[in-house]
Every structure is written in C-alpha cells, then in structure tokens.
Amino acid sequence: MSTDDDASPPPWVTRTGGYRVTPLDGSTIRVSARDLFSDTAAGLSADPREHVLVVIHGAGQGATLLVGAGAVSIGRAPPADLILPDARVSRAHCEVRLAGDQLEVIDRGSTNGTYVGSVRVHGSALLPRDEVLRVGDHLLRHRYWTRHELEEWQRLNLPEPVHEVRIDIDEQRRREDVERITRSPYFDDIVTEIDRLRLHDEG
C-alpha cells in the first residue's frame, strides 16, 4: 500500500528547487526568491560556497565581507576588517566567525549594541543564513554564495567609481587667444554682419 509521500504529484503540482509549489489558480504559481535560490537547492551546485556578510543598509551599503576560517572584525576604524563609517559603531564593535553552517557573532563591548534580527547580542549569538545583523545604523545580511554570485551582486550594487578630472586653464594664454581673435581683420566684418541681421529682424 502506497503512502501519500510515495504517490506521484498531480500534474498541477510543480517541484522547484526541492519545494512543492501549488498554483493559486489554473495557470499561476507563486514562489518566493528563497524557494528558487534556497541554500538547499544551492548546495547542489558544484561551485564552492562561502559565507558572506553584505551591507544592505547604511553609509557603507554595497560593502561585503567574506567569513573564512578565522574570525573577522567589524568596527568604525582600523584594524577592523570591515570599517563602517557610522558614529553609532564602536571602534572595535563585534567579531564574526564560522560556527558549523552558521555564523557566530561576538559583541566586543560595543556602546550601542549588536543585534541579530531584533534581538540584542549579549556575549555571543548565532547568525543563521539570510538573517540580518545590525551594527549601529548599518544592516548586514548573511549570505551563502558562490564566488560568481558575489561578483555579480557587487557588479549590480556597488556604486561606479567617480574619477575627478582637473583641467588647468592657462589664463594668460586664454587672454592672448581672445585678443588674437578680436584683432583679426575679419572680426569687425562678422560683428557688423551680426548687427545688420539683428536690426533687420527687429525691423
């Protein structure tokens, strides 16, 4: 005797990324981005994945921080691995390190606190995948990405570099050029013709 789990899904049931999705009507299915690009489905990829903290809000938006074998630090000033320009961030605010398939956040006595979601970290706390870490006025999301996904995100989200171009104008040379033009034998003729056309239009 077969169970419901053994039975083949009806034709209107689709499997997406290991998730069974039931359409809301006869033609439309509703799935979330997490269903389509979940860590479970991502684990099937042959590309190695890395834990990444992505700044999604704040003055440092767009910055990313890879979390590898060693702990990484977040703060307002060096020697922090990720420096956030934020007065509410302490100089040595917190550390993040691997803890199995999650990340562990350690508050380093910050003045304004470190939060996982809406919960303040006292000592240390786990930061699951896709959860948000709040440091000062900055929000960082924990992602588990391939190198390609990280580079693609950076390409789409990091601001284009602004290059300052300075043009030095030689004022003396500019005056000489203007004088040379005004002294041209054709200059008076051009001015006269312009005045004639202007008077003609006004008349």
Side-chain angles (χ1 to χ4, degrees):
M1 179 178 178
S2 63
T3 65
D4 291 341
D5 291 337
D6 296 329
S8 298
W12 42 265
V13 172
T14 306
R15 289 188 179 275
T16 305
Y19 292 84
R20 179 174 293 187
V21 181
T22 304
L24 301 178
D25 53 38
S27 60
T28 304
I29 62 173
R30 178 179 294 168
V31 295
S32 69
R34 181 163 175 78
D35 291 334
L36 293 173
F37 304 104
S38 66
D39 290 341
T40 302
L44 300 177
S45 171
D47 296 333
R49 294 187 170 267
E50 298 174 282
H51 294 269
V52 186
L53 290 175
V54 181
V55 181
I56 59 173
H57 177 78
Q61 182 172 343
T64 57
L65 179 64
L66 286 172
V67 184
V72 293
S73 58
I74 300 173
R76 194 179 69 248
D81 296 297
L82 177 61
I83 298 174
L84 299 177
D86 185 342
R88 291 177 53 81
V89 175
S90 299
R91 292 178 62 86
H93 198 102
C94 64
E95 288 186 356
V96 182
R97 62 189 180 195
L98 288 176
D101 62 348
Q102 301 183 83
L103 295 179
E104 182 182 17
V105 180
I106 304 99
D107 184 82
R108 290 302 182 195
S110 63
T111 302
N112 295 298
T114 304
Y115 293 79
V116 172
S118 60
V119 179
R120 184 163 183 166
V121 175
H122 296 284
S124 66
L126 291 178
L127 179 66
R129 295 177 188 174
D130 296 329
E131 185 57 89
V132 172
L133 172 67
R134 179 157 66 89
V135 179
D137 290 329
H138 283 73
L139 300 179
L140 299 85
R141 191 176 294 279
H142 174 196
R143 293 300 194 188
Y144 190 55
W145 280 341
T146 64
R147 180 70 64 165
H148 173 73
E149 288 170 332
L150 173 58
E151 291 173 351
E152 186 66 10
W153 189 92
Q154 291 173 329
R155 184 182 69 83
L156 295 173
N157 290 276
L158 284 177
E160 290 293 326
V162 177
H163 301 284
E164 181 178 333
V165 178
R166 178 177 178 180
I167 302 176
D168 293 322
I169 299 176
D170 188 330
E171 187 64 22
Q172 179 62 32
R173 181 174 178 181
R174 187 187 68 82
R175 290 197 189 98
E176 292 173 356
D177 289 341
V178 171
E179 290 177 3
R180 186 164 53 252
I181 293 172
T182 56
R183 289 174 181 173
S184 168
Y186 304 105
F187 183 77
D188 289 340
D189 293 339
I190 293 172
V191 173
T192 301
E193 181 65 14
I194 291 174
D195 288 340
R196 187 187 68 78
L197 293 172
R198 180 173 57 81
L199 291 173
H200 179 269
D201 290 340
E202 292 176 352

